[in-house]
Amino acid sequence: MKDEIDLAVHFEKAFGTRPRIFRAPGRVNLIGEHTDYNDGFVMPAAVGFSTYVAIAPRPDRKLVIHSKELPGNFEFDIDHLPETRIGAWCDYVVGVASVLRESGLKLAGANLLVHGKVPIGAGLSSSAALEVSSALALLSLTDTSLPLPEVAQLCRQAENSFVGARVGIMDQFVSCMGKAGHAFFLDCRSLDFRLVPIPAGLQLVVCNTMVKHDLATGAYNTRREECEAGVRAFAQWDPAIRALRDVSVDLLDQHANDLPTTIWKRCSHVVRENQRTLDAARALTEGDLARVGSLMRESHNSLRDLYEVSCRELDVMVEAAEGLPGFCGGRMTGGGFGGCTINLVREENAEDFAKRIAERYRAATGICPQVYLCSAEDGAQLVGEPRSGGM
Ligand code: GLA
């Protein structure tokens, strides 16, 4: 509540009116990495870090965007929005506005104030949180109500076509639809999902390596192209194949020697990661944490050796968790090349785990990490109305 009240006060000082406030969370991914854009399976959870967007209408056609902590105040004409990114943080907001317009939805002039509490560059989807909270805020001004899965798809489109990052649907979807206490198992082709309860007594411990290597964006797009090359090859052998989702482990093994090594490695990761995600959803449902843990470890090894998106710091952080009391399983989470690991840890051991993993990581790298004790939280929502809660 404190964040909402502070933000409302700040907004009133900046713009002289009282805002409506929306919140959208960041996420961690438990398993199913680099599978979403291959029509595969993912199992993330929304976490307690959120981005807040405060909004109020303006009488003119301007979109004015400020942030509590990020530099720059921006002003646009909503009838002449830029067509591509301008290279500032407001791109995520403007991108969403622009995609809403292109989809034929109405926009009204607005003042917007952003308050971001999702660590930036840590692989916890601060961008999806900003997109989703902005979309809900902008839609609210014209009383447009869209189903949340559609909001997620529009936000992804904004990131793909306006910001220029070819991301999949996972982050925006879970930011919209996440549920407290649950992992979110999503079929990224049909968008069918299932909530998987996180067993009682288990904490999500997120360890931030504090590094983000430059490779991240370029390598992400390269991986996507490599997957597409894999699909083209497999489609020659089986024309029913539209995405790596359609490739079975058997077919993959049959053609181990027919693909360039790099392409085969990428395909091998995706095909087996899909199976691991299905298995992990079942194991988590059954409370078989030993199985979930070993699938997470296999996932990490595969991201390191086959998909080649890990880095030394992530590997050190994953190793550092091994053998600590209460540790059930861990791996890198998100796109890779830095950012965070996700660890499943028994609640009673979580604080001690946080202290000890930080010491081990610092001893090995000289870097002081941040460790967050998280739980699965609800997805995006309206959190403040101008006349409610004394705002
Ligand atoms: C980033 C993207 C997601 C997903 C992950 C990797 O977080 O935004 O769509 O592709 O990387 O699993």
Side-chain angles (χ1 to χ4, degrees):
M1 196 62 196
K2 189 171 172 303
D3 285 307
E4 289 94 302
I5 293 172
D6 283 356
L7 188 59
V9 169
H10 201 104
F11 189 97
E12 203 167 350
K13 266 195 207 138
F15 298 115
T17 45
R18 290 174 177 211
R20 235 179 222 177
I21 302 179
F22 292 84
R23 176 193 74 81
R27 62 98 189 92
V28 287
N29 189 15
L30 302 186
I31 196 160
E33 213 66 86
H34 289 280
T35 46
D36 61 352
Y37 52 83
N38 289 300
D39 276 5
F41 306 107
V42 294
M43 192 163 62
V47 289
F49 297 115
S50 288
T51 293
Y52 297 81
V53 169
I55 193 163
R58 292 176 58 98
D60 56 18
R61 302 286 292 162
K62 279 184 189 159
L63 181 61
V64 177
I65 311 171
H66 293 194
S67 156
K68 259 187 88 181
E69 47 281 301
L70 297 168
N73 292 330
F74 302 92
E75 201 176 295
F76 300 91
D77 175 341
I78 46 172
D79 299 312
H80 300 97
L81 291 171
E83 274 167 24
T84 51
R85 67 193 178 121
I86 63 165
W89 63 267
C90 69
D91 283 338
Y92 296 98
V93 185
V94 182
V96 165
S98 157
V99 163
L100 294 178
R101 247 188 100 80
E102 277 165 22
S103 318
L105 295 161
K106 276 193 289 170
L107 286 181
N111 291 321
L112 243 111
L113 178 62
V114 174
H115 176 38
K117 303 223 41 185
V118 188
I120 294 179
L124 300 177
S125 292
S126 54
S127 32
L130 177 53
E131 289 154 7
V132 170
S133 47
S134 301
L136 294 181
L138 290 166
L139 289 168
S140 78
L141 284 195
T142 51
D143 288 325
T144 311
S145 107
L146 283 187
L148 284 172
E150 269 177 49
V151 173
Q153 291 180 73
L154 289 168
C155 290
R156 177 201 179 184
Q157 200 180 317
E159 190 148 348
N160 287 175
S161 62
F162 189 90
V163 180
R166 297 184 65 205
V167 295
I169 189 68
M170 168 170 70
D171 304 348
Q172 291 81 4
F173 211 89
V174 71
S175 181
C176 281
M177 304 281 294
K179 196 95 208 121
H182 292 78
F184 194 87
F185 175 82
L186 176 67
D187 176 335
C188 298
R189 172 173 277 168
S190 64
L191 298 184
D192 289 342
F193 63 89
R194 185 155 63 80
L195 296 173
V196 182
I198 296 184
L202 204 59
Q203 184 116 42
L204 309 181
V205 183
V206 177
C207 300
N208 189 345
T209 61
M210 311 302 280
V211 300
K212 185 83 204 159
H213 296 293
D214 284 348
L215 271 167
T217 318
Y220 188 91
N221 289 341
T222 312
R223 293 298 177 282
R224 289 208 55 158
E225 284 155 20
E226 289 163 347
C227 291
E228 284 159 9
V231 173
R232 284 195 295 277
F234 280 106
Q236 289 169 21
W237 301 311
D238 178 353
I241 286 170
R242 288 189 286 134
L244 289 184
R245 150 74 173 271
D246 302 315
V247 177
S248 65
V249 174
D250 278 353
L251 190 68
L252 176 78
D253 289 342
Q254 266 172 40
H255 291 286
N257 298 317
D258 303 333
L259 289 168
T261 313
T262 304
I263 304 297
W264 187 80
K265 281 163 88 177
R266 307 302 187 239
C267 295
S268 188
H269 165 75
V270 173
V271 171
R272 291 175 208 279
E273 183 78 353
N274 275 331
Q275 188 57 49
R276 277 191 288 271
T277 308
L278 288 163
D279 294 347
R282 190 173 326 111
L284 194 61
T285 309
E286 289 165 1
D288 184 352
L289 294 180
R291 177 88 180 117
V292 176
S294 75
L295 290 164
M296 289 175 85
R297 183 67 217 216
E298 280 173 30
S299 167
H300 184 80
N301 293 349
S302 174
L303 289 158
R304 184 191 60 205
D305 302 334
L306 297 176
Y307 218 66
E308 296 176 289
V309 291
S310 188
C311 62
R312 178 174 171 260
E313 294 85 355
L314 283 167
D315 296 341
V316 167
M317 193 71 96
V318 165
E319 294 299 327
E322 296 290 345
L324 289 178
F327 173 66
C328 302
R331 54 184 283 283
M332 57 158 273
T333 187
F337 300 106
C340 294
T341 66
I342 165 74
N343 302 273
L344 300 184
V345 182
R346 295 198 186 279
E347 220 163 55
E348 65 269 25
N349 302 108
E351 281 190 16
D352 177 60
F353 176 92
K355 219 171 96 234
R356 291 173 67 181
I357 196 169
E359 281 161 9
R360 287 183 172 186
Y361 180 76
R362 195 173 43 233
T365 61
I367 303 169
C368 185
Q370 281 176 5
V371 181
Y372 320 112
L373 303 189
C374 299
S375 47
E377 301 293 345
D378 282 333
Q381 59 197 164
L382 172 68
V383 289
E385 286 276 14
R387 302 280 162 224
S388 74
M391 283 174 27

